[in-house]
Amino acid sequence: MFSTNNTYYYSLVATILLVLTFVFCSEGQLSASFYSSTCSNVSSIVRDSVQQALTSDSRIAASLIRLHFHDCFVDGCDASILLDVGGNITQSEKNAAPNDNSVRGFDVVDSIKTTIETSCPAVVSCADILALAAEASVSLSGGPSWNVLLGRKDSLTANQAGANTSIPSPFQSLANITSKFSDVGLDTTDLVALSGAHSFGRAQCQFFSQRLFNFSGTGSPDPTLNSTYLATLQQNCPQNGIGTTLNNLDPSTPDTFDNNYFTNLLINQGLLQTDQELFSTNGSSTISIVNNFANNQSAFFEAFAQSMINMGNISPLTGTQGEIRTDCKKVNGS
């Protein structure tokens, strides 16, 4: 009798452990093959859509990766940045200071979602679309490819206040930026590698004009700006000029994803304050990483791909959490 009860006990424990293992794996793990049996062509749909968008908008690749970045830093990669005001959403992250009149690409995401819904209705999340679009944007622009981990759900809420405080600002010190990365589980290598996304795209004058004329109240330009580059930027962004004028983040290959961003930093041609600080902050551990990436594009590409995976793993909603939105702009039923 004792032996029988023991056998039953161990059998019960083993069953419970098996169930817990299944729940953990289904609730907490992302997988590159998540849609293999439910929407096997999702990656090609996203890639084709991004490629089509690039034919009419050379900026869209950089814009799409920025959407993913700004989404993940606010309560994780949950597509909360895509939600408009409506229903229970009283404040949209789109209107937060780092995003307002700055982030773009929402129409491309909506187009991708519409195409996917035709092939695989109510299966693929908007959060996963952002992750896939970011990878496609980089690889189609000459950068690395990686296996995007999938299985995220979409949020039921937005967090405008969180967007105002959690997204790194181009005006902050390296210490503050490093802290914001650390807050979401990303380290210094992730910070430098992901900053390399500024290898393509544009920035408005208002995000770096403080460097051009009166840096930190000194009455002089930022001393870490290359003088020739400074003159060009002052011409593009005159004092009291239009703050929305666009400038290439990488003046050498503005639409190609490569390591020129880092070689630019070596000659003091980082556009944003937070770019140049990676190399010009005395004693910083980021300097050696910048040097490595500037001299070895393969090392940068490898690190960037891993850091994108790391960022994509920030607090995803999985399993029974969240939902699969049928329209990325609004919560289902609203």
Side-chain angles (χ1 to χ4, degrees):
M1 189 72 171
F2 180 80
S3 176
T4 302
N5 284 341
N6 244 0
T7 301
Y8 172 77
Y9 172 79
Y10 288 122
S11 176
L12 179 63
V13 169
T15 301
I16 292 172
L17 287 174
L18 184 63
V19 170
L20 287 175
T21 300
F22 174 77
V23 169
F24 175 78
C25 290
S26 62
E27 291 283 319
Q29 301 299 301
L30 303 179
S31 166
S33 59
F34 187 82
Y35 296 112
S36 59
S37 62
T38 55
C39 194
S40 59
N41 60 339
V42 61
S43 294
S44 60
I45 291 175
V46 173
R47 186 179 180 86
D48 290 348
S49 298
V50 173
Q51 192 158 31
Q52 179 60 37
L54 277 167
T55 62
S56 58
D57 182 0
S58 61
R59 297 172 56 200
I60 197 61
S63 298
L64 289 171
I65 195 173
R66 188 163 179 250
L67 265 182
H68 183 43
F69 181 94
H70 281 213
D71 179 45
C72 290
F73 267 72
V74 183
D75 298 334
C77 309
D78 60 2
S80 57
I81 194 171
L82 303 179
L83 289 170
D84 287 337
V85 171
N88 292 329
I89 307 300
T90 57
Q91 290 186 313
S92 171
E93 291 176 25
K94 294 179 181 181
N95 300 323
N99 299 329
D100 191 32
N101 295 317
S102 177
V103 291
R104 58 194 296 275
F106 299 108
D107 55 334
V108 175
V109 174
D110 288 339
S111 176
I112 294 171
K113 179 63 170 174
T114 298
T115 305
I116 290 176
E117 286 297 301
T118 301
S119 297
C120 322
V123 169
V124 179
S125 69
C126 301
D128 280 346
I129 289 173
L130 289 178
L132 287 165
E135 189 278 337
S137 295
V138 171
S139 61
L140 287 169
S141 301
S145 296
W146 60 93
N147 290 322
V148 180
L149 302 183
L150 303 165
R152 301 168 188 82
K153 292 288 193 65
D154 298 322
S155 71
L156 304 175
T157 59
N159 185 359
Q160 187 184 105
N164 280 323
T165 57
S166 299
I167 296 172
S169 161
F171 309 111
Q172 291 180 315
S173 68
L174 179 57
N176 286 338
I177 297 293
T178 302
S179 177
K180 288 191 173 182
F181 272 72
S182 179
D183 287 345
V184 293
L186 300 177
D187 63 19
T188 304
T189 299
D190 295 317
L191 164 60
V192 179
L194 292 173
S195 294
H198 288 170
S199 169
F200 57 4
R202 316 285 185 267
Q204 298 176 23
C205 291
Q206 62 180 314
F207 295 119
F208 60 87
S209 57
Q210 84 285 356
R211 304 183 67 201
L212 305 184
F213 302 99
N214 184 24
F215 182 62
S216 299
T218 61
S220 301
D222 184 341
T224 66
L225 260 174
N226 175 287
S227 58
T228 303
Y229 189 43
L230 170 63
T232 299
L233 295 177
Q234 287 176 330
Q235 185 173 9
N236 292 347
C237 306
Q239 279 185 298
N240 304 315
I242 300 173
T244 55
T245 300
L246 295 173
N247 298 257
N248 294 328
L249 282 160
D250 174 1
S252 54
T253 52
D255 297 319
T256 302
F257 194 96
D258 52 29
N259 70 332
N260 284 3
Y261 166 82
F262 296 102
T263 58
N264 292 338
L265 298 185
L266 302 188
I267 55 173
N268 290 343
Q269 287 191 6
L271 182 63
L272 305 180
Q273 177 181 329
T274 46
D275 291 328
Q276 194 59 49
E277 283 177 339
L278 297 175
F279 185 71
S280 298
T281 302
N282 289 334
S284 173
S285 60
T286 58
I287 296 172
S288 61
I289 304 173
V290 170
N291 276 316
N292 181 34
F293 292 165
N295 292 308
N296 188 338
Q297 181 165 276
S298 295
F300 164 51
F301 278 10
E302 182 179 345
F304 184 83
Q306 183 57 56
S307 291
M308 285 297 293
I309 292 170
N310 295 345
M311 185 179 77
N313 280 331
I314 299 174
S315 305
L317 301 175
T318 57
T320 58
Q321 301 170 309
E323 66 178 9
I324 304 294
R325 289 185 214 140
T326 55
D327 181 341
C328 292
K329 300 185 298 295
K330 58 185 181 180
V331 173
N332 293 341
S334 63

